[in-house]
Amino acid sequence: MTQQQTPIVISGFGLWNPEYSISNEELVSAYNAYANNFNQHHAAEIEQGSVNAKPLSSAEFITKASGIKNRYVYRKEGALDPERMRPYIEPRENSELSHQAEMAVNAARKALSAAHCEAADIDAVIVACSYTQRAYPAIAIEVQHELGISGFGFDMLVACSSATFSLQRAYEMVKAGTATRVLVISPELTSPQNNWRDRDSHFIFGDVAVATVVESADSCRSDESYEILGSKAATLFSNNIRSNFGYLSYTDDSDPFGEDKFFIQNGRKVFKEVCPMAAEHITSQLKDLGIDNSEVKRWWLHQANINMNLLIAKKLLGREASAEEAPIVLDQYANTASAGSLIAFNLHREGLESGDLGVICSFGAGYSIGSLVIRKR
Ligand code: CO8
């Protein structure tokens, strides 16, 4: 006789926004002032052809090409100063809570409260994001300590798919019985890695933190929970989205803050290659679960570019998706690396009824694609 497996559920979720934000207009005005200063300062070299002039940016281009109108930033000071062009994040003593742990804790408290859980109910913490502010001790262990959680914690980095891949790890851990309740947090502090002096990418990223509780249905006390019907991960190596930032700069004598150490992408190629991959990934996962795409009520997709989302949703449904079916949060949040699909999930669950199906899916750097099919309980 086969034993019936108890469902594994998402029982709590939290979203934390930094208090500062930057509109496209503010961003472009600062960048253009920087570019004009640069061009004036290097007028002779530009004339000779030994230095390239900095092209100007435009708020209209940004909105049209990406759907982004605004981004939250952990710290605003410095980011819009044409003489600096990077945020100032004040240093903290080792005895103080680190910046990224603070972001994580803010989102985690919301998720715990939504799951009707105390710290003592959690026995594993995963911090998963595109960059951690240091290698060790793990940010997850600092968060665990700050919240008073026993058990264990670890960090994992899978760029855009960090959040979905970590939810999959949590699902598997609860299923295997190696943890009872897992707190999964993505404190995406992207602004330090954004090249504020580069017209092609200065507008892309925003800062945010999301947190989720995963546990067995047996222990769930939440008013709103979602059964995880399945999860699927895929990776395929690509240099089209890359950052060479890392500790080897010290030994190879390269500039630790050189151009290649920031986020760099070939956006057009990413767009062309990733859209079909994501649509096929989700369709095959749903098929394996015996679900037709048309049965899915909500698509919480990765938030990198509005045109990408519209295209993927169209491939999935064979028609345009409504704003309700495939919500977009890019206008307010910009690309928040792995947090995007979970911001959409946090903000757009209205109208869903018990039994309704949804898909959370990330796609991007690696390349990496991670998806979870969930059903409202
Ligand atoms: N203002 C005015 N004009 C501009 C600007 C600007 N800011 N930027 C570019 N242009 C110009 C270009 O120079 C180009 O001019 P020309 O035709 O003369 O060469 C013209 O506008 C068109 O440029 P593009 O071809 O680049 O424009 P697209 O319409 O393709 O849009 C996008 C560019 C928005 C980048 C688009 O290609 C895109 O979004 N692609 C998908 C990108 C994507 O999904 N990336 C994944 C992101 S990675 C991720 O999500 C997480 C990574 C890890 C986190 C990192 C944290 C920092």
Side-chain angles (χ1 to χ4, degrees):
M1 204 171 76
T2 52
Q3 223 182 342
Q4 195 71 27
Q5 169 89 43
T6 309
I8 312 297
V9 301
I10 290 175
S11 59
F13 18 84
L15 163 66
W16 176 81
N17 301 335
E19 68 176 288
Y20 307 106
S21 64
I22 296 178
S23 68
N24 283 353
E25 288 71 22
E26 286 176 282
L27 184 81
V28 165
S29 155
Y31 169 84
N32 284 350
Y34 156 76
N36 283 327
N37 288 348
F38 178 94
N39 293 343
Q40 252 171 20
H41 191 72
H42 296 279
E45 296 109 300
I46 292 169
E47 180 75 23
Q48 283 164 11
S50 57
V51 168
N52 289 330
K54 293 268 176 200
L56 297 187
S57 187
S58 126
E60 298 75 49
F61 170 88
I62 296 170
T63 306
K64 191 160 168 278
S66 68
I68 296 166
K69 296 180 182 162
N70 182 71
R71 70 281 298 137
Y72 289 100
V73 283
Y74 182 65
R75 293 288 183 268
K76 191 166 178 174
E77 189 191 338
L80 300 180
D81 175 356
E83 300 299 323
R84 181 176 170 89
M85 299 301 281
R86 62 185 195 280
Y88 176 71
I89 300 181
E90 71 287 355
R92 287 185 175 172
E93 298 291 333
N94 286 356
S95 56
E96 295 177 277
L97 189 65
S98 68
H99 292 289
Q100 215 170 7
E102 181 183 308
M103 293 175 72
V105 164
N106 288 337
R109 289 196 202 282
K110 293 184 179 202
L112 290 176
S113 156
H116 298 300
C117 278
E118 305 288 333
D121 299 320
I122 302 289
D123 52 9
V125 179
I126 310 176
V127 164
C129 48
S130 301
Y131 298 90
T132 48
Q133 72 170 75
R134 60 167 190 265
Y136 49 85
I139 306 294
I141 303 176
E142 189 183 2
V143 169
Q144 184 196 355
H145 174 73
E146 178 67 15
L147 292 173
I149 292 170
S150 44
F152 62 96
F154 60 90
D155 294 349
M156 57 181 275
L157 310 182
V158 203
C160 304
S161 292
S162 302
T164 52
F165 276 39
S166 58
L167 282 170
Q168 293 171 3
R169 301 292 77 74
Y171 167 70
E172 285 162 0
M173 281 153 62
V174 176
K175 203 168 175 176
T178 51
T180 309
R181 276 196 198 85
V182 186
L183 176 61
V184 179
I185 320 168
S186 297
E188 287 288 9
L189 182 51
T190 65
S191 55
Q193 261 290 310
N194 198 24
N195 188 349
W196 297 76
R197 299 171 188 219
D198 171 41
R199 176 181 83 150
D200 289 358
S201 62
H202 75 127
F203 58 88
I204 294 181
F205 291 101
D207 299 331
V208 80
V210 289
T212 311
V213 175
V214 175
E215 61 181 303
S216 158
D218 286 345
S219 59
C220 177
R221 311 169 192 139
S222 177
D223 309 326
E224 185 184 354
S225 61
Y226 295 81
E227 179 180 353
I228 300 172
L229 298 181
S231 73
K232 183 172 176 176
T235 51
L236 179 73
F237 185 69
S238 167
N239 276 319
N240 285 327
I241 311 168
R242 186 163 178 129
S243 158
N244 285 332
F245 181 75
Y247 73 112
L248 288 186
S249 304
Y250 183 60
T251 55
D252 63 18
D253 299 336
S254 63
D255 177 358
F257 308 108
E259 294 264 305
D260 71 312
K261 307 302 189 304
F262 292 106
F263 162 88
I264 293 185
Q265 73 166 347
N266 186 338
R268 282 272 166 109
K269 269 206 172 149
V270 173
F271 196 111
K272 217 170 135 213
E273 292 173 3
V274 169
C275 289
M277 276 171 64
E280 280 157 28
H281 177 101
I282 297 170
T283 302
S284 81
Q285 183 188 9
L286 287 168
K287 196 168 167 216
D288 289 346
L289 290 167
I291 298 168
D292 188 79
N293 291 6
S294 62
E295 294 173 64
V296 175
K297 286 277 183 324
R298 194 75 34 105
W299 306 90
W300 298 286
L301 299 178
H302 186 64
Q303 306 279 323
N305 177 294
I306 190 170
N307 300 314
M308 260 177 130
N309 287 37
L310 295 177
L311 181 61
I312 293 170
K314 197 169 175 187
K315 282 179 188 285
L316 289 164
L317 290 172
R319 60 170 171 81
E320 311 256 318
S322 69
E324 193 189 15
E325 285 173 310
I328 300 286
V329 301
L330 280 159
D331 49 346
Q332 193 185 345
Y333 285 88
N335 181 340
T336 49
S338 76
S341 56
L342 285 156
I343 301 175
F345 175 66
N346 268 272
L347 295 178
H348 295 287
R349 302 184 314 282
E350 68 286 349
L352 289 182
E353 289 172 9
S354 176
D356 281 349
L357 297 167
V359 170
I360 298 173
C361 182
S362 65
F363 35 83
Y367 295 140
S368 61
I369 306 184
S371 55
L372 293 106
V373 179
I374 59 177
R375 178 166 58 204
K376 185 164 179 174
R377 297 175 73 228

